[in-house]
Amino acid sequence: MLMTGKEYIESLRKLNTRVYMFGERVDNWVDHPIIRPSINSVAATYDLAQEDEYKDIMTAKSNITGKIVNRFTHLHQSTEDLKNKVKMQRLLGQKTASCFQRCVGMDAFNAVYSTTFEVDEKYGTSYHKNFIEYLKHVQENDLTVDGAMTDPKGDRGLAPHAQKDPDLYLRIVERREDGIVVRGAKAHQTGSINSHEHIIMPTIAMGEADKDYAVSFACESDVEGLYMIYGRQSCDTRKMEKDNDIDVGNKKFGGQEALVVFDNVFIPNNRIFLCGEYDFAGMMVERFAGYHRQSYGGCKVGVGDVIIGAAALAAEYNGADKASHIKDKLIEMTHLNETLFSCGIACSAEGCPTKAGNYQIDLLLANVCKQNVTRFPYEIGRLAEDIAGGLMVTMPSESDFKSDTIVGSNGETLGDICNKYFAGSDKASTEERQRILRFLENVCLGTAAVGYRTESMHGAGSPQAQRIMISRQGNIQGKKEMAKELAGIKK
Ligand SMILES: Cc1cc2nc3c(=O)[nH]c(=O)nc-3n(C[C@H](O)[C@H](O)[C@H](O)COP(=O)(O)OP(=O)(O)OC[C@H]3O[C@@H](n4cnc5c(N)ncnc54)[C@H](O)[C@@H]3O)c2cc1C
């Protein structure tokens, strides 16, 4: 059953999710002005799947049930599926100019599916069967699932078992006949509050001493012992201002991250996908990270499309759009953005089947994709700020533009003065100029900058994590052999 956006929002109300923000529990978090835009972004993943125009990229035929499912719950069956995933993410970036949060779950499904197959093959466990049953439940109910990998990690120089506080990596604290009890937390969790469920994976490759930390499972958002603390974003309280509209920049959509705490949570056996097989933690991490690094070649490109459009409008509203350097800067932004898309498509086109049968991206190209994502959005943002001009960060509030307070010697109001001095070319009203500059402020420096900038840097792993993978996959030895052959070197 495919849900509509409205049905998705209503389904969240049925959960008893524990959410904390600004020091207090938030009971009606679904309608909270700071949280709601991020829920609207996830709702777009449901609404677009209902539209005929987007059916091919937003939905797919499940290999498990044979039914049509939302692509966000699908196991990729071909390189075509992998490419469609990237195109779907670009589309959603264009429609929301935000992080729409549902990708992490999709990337976790694909990584856990193939890894559990190989764990079972080695150890005779039944994790793959557990996972297939779980995914059936997700697909049939069209659920949003948080893909949770990152632990708080404490001292980065120490392994999980060596931390002063053992909870700094999520771990098994009790093994029972019917399941396990886990304790710890997952940090920076995208869309976790807006998710029906969570799928947990280890953060790093592990040794035997970290056995209790090598754990993967699924649980509901309102399972006993689980609660979340909302991560605040730059300029978030603008959303709390009365009659806010223009100053929020992107009124309808936003992204979300939270700390998810597991305070002795019981996980039944049928929802466990890894439980102590530490030698497979690295495989799960590598595969999830690979899929997630591919994802950024779609979602950030969609947001980039909107930023390029906004910068072009800002130039037009300033009367600077005919200048050759402005045209050239827009070309440069487009070049950078399409390079990211090319990487997302390339690692998909070069994908191959896993032992379990679902398709995996080319890992080297996916890591190159994400490495570029740690840089190019910053340059695109820099060029957008260049084109926008300083007013993007010095403009009075929308209340000043709307104010009737008399300030001028000829009876001009505050609103009259703002509208007079912030007018641009005749192509746009002052309000239109205000709107486009506030939008750019939002994606470059405000709430959406979390998703466009810092998530581009650290999401799916900091830059060095990709460089390690590139060094592993780059085959320098093979390249040396090529050079030797051509240079006539025998040994
Ligand atoms: C907006 C956003 C959304 C995210 N969403 C999710 C999500 O949905 N799910 C999820 O699981 N995770 C998510 N993440 C987490 C993301 O994967 C991490 O931020 C990333 O792996 C980096 O970890 P960290 O933030 O703890 O930084 P740190 O680990 O503190 O890294 C900071 C710097 O220290 C370096 N460093 C760290 N450890 C070492 C070491 N041992 N040796 C040498 N150098 C080191 C890093 O390379 C980096 O340069 C998200 C992050 C962001 C910012």
Side-chain angles (χ1 to χ4, degrees), residues 104 147-150 153 156 188-190 257 455 458 460-462:
V104 272
M149 177 160 280
T150 314
K153 296 185 292 194
R156 271 66 173 156
H188 322 283
Q189 291 309 302
T190 295
E257 278 75 33
E455 194 185 345
H458 290 294
S462 312

Side-chain angles (χ1 to χ4, degrees), residues 306-321:
V306 192
I307 294 176
I308 295 166
L313 286 171
E316 216 173 286
Y317 297 173
N318 271 341
D321 52 320

Side-chain angles (χ1 to χ4, degrees), residues 227-424:
Y227 55 91
M228 294 178 249
I229 309 171
Y230 196 89
R232 74 171 308 180
Q233 300 168 334
S234 170
C235 311
D236 52 5
T237 47
R238 285 193 195 185
K239 292 175 183 164
M240 305 281 280
E241 289 169 9
K242 195 169 158 280
D243 300 328
N244 72 69
D245 177 16
I246 300 172
D247 283 359
V248 288
N250 184 350
K251 191 171 164 69
K252 189 164 179 196
F253 299 108
Q256 173 199 103
E257 278 75 33
L259 178 76
V260 184
V261 182
F262 296 79
D263 184 3
N264 296 326
V265 173
F266 173 71
I267 309 296
N269 283 331
N270 64 346
R271 283 193 158 217
I272 298 174
F273 313 132
L274 192 72
C275 188
E277 295 79 5
Y278 60 88
D279 47 332
F280 281 92
M283 180 188 283
M284 203 177 268
V285 173
E286 198 170 277
R287 290 187 179 177
F288 169 77
Y291 285 120
H292 211 42
R293 290 169 192 172
Q294 168 210 26
S295 284
Y296 284 71
C299 63
K300 302 302 172 230
V301 180
V303 182
D305 286 328
V306 192
I307 294 176
I308 295 166
L313 286 171
E316 216 173 286
Y317 297 173
N318 271 341
D321 52 320
K322 300 280 183 304
S324 62
H325 80 98
I326 297 283
K327 286 183 189 158
D328 192 56
K329 281 167 183 158
L330 292 171
I331 293 168
E332 177 65 9
M333 291 164 86
T334 306
H335 161 72
L336 292 169
N337 207 39
E338 297 302 334
T339 303
L340 298 181
F341 187 57
S342 309
C343 291
I345 292 294
C347 68
S348 307
E350 290 292 296
C352 59
T354 63
K355 275 190 179 179
N358 64 331
Y359 269 61
Q360 192 176 283
I361 60 295
D362 179 284
L363 275 180
L364 174 60
L365 296 184
N367 278 279
V368 169
C369 177
K370 173 67 206 330
Q371 180 80 178
N372 284 336
V373 172
T374 65
R375 299 172 181 165
F376 296 179
Y378 285 83
E379 181 62 8
I380 291 171
R382 190 183 76 81
L383 292 167
E385 287 188 37
D386 175 351
I387 294 171
L391 195 59
M392 183 184 114
V393 294
T394 64
M395 190 165 37
S397 74
E398 64 179 290
S399 311
D400 293 312
F401 279 83
K402 290 175 183 156
S403 170
D404 291 333
T405 305
I406 307 283
V407 288
S409 54
N410 291 320
E412 300 97 332
T413 64
L414 208 46
D416 294 335
I417 296 299
C418 287
N419 280 291
K420 173 183 162 77
Y421 287 110
F422 296 119

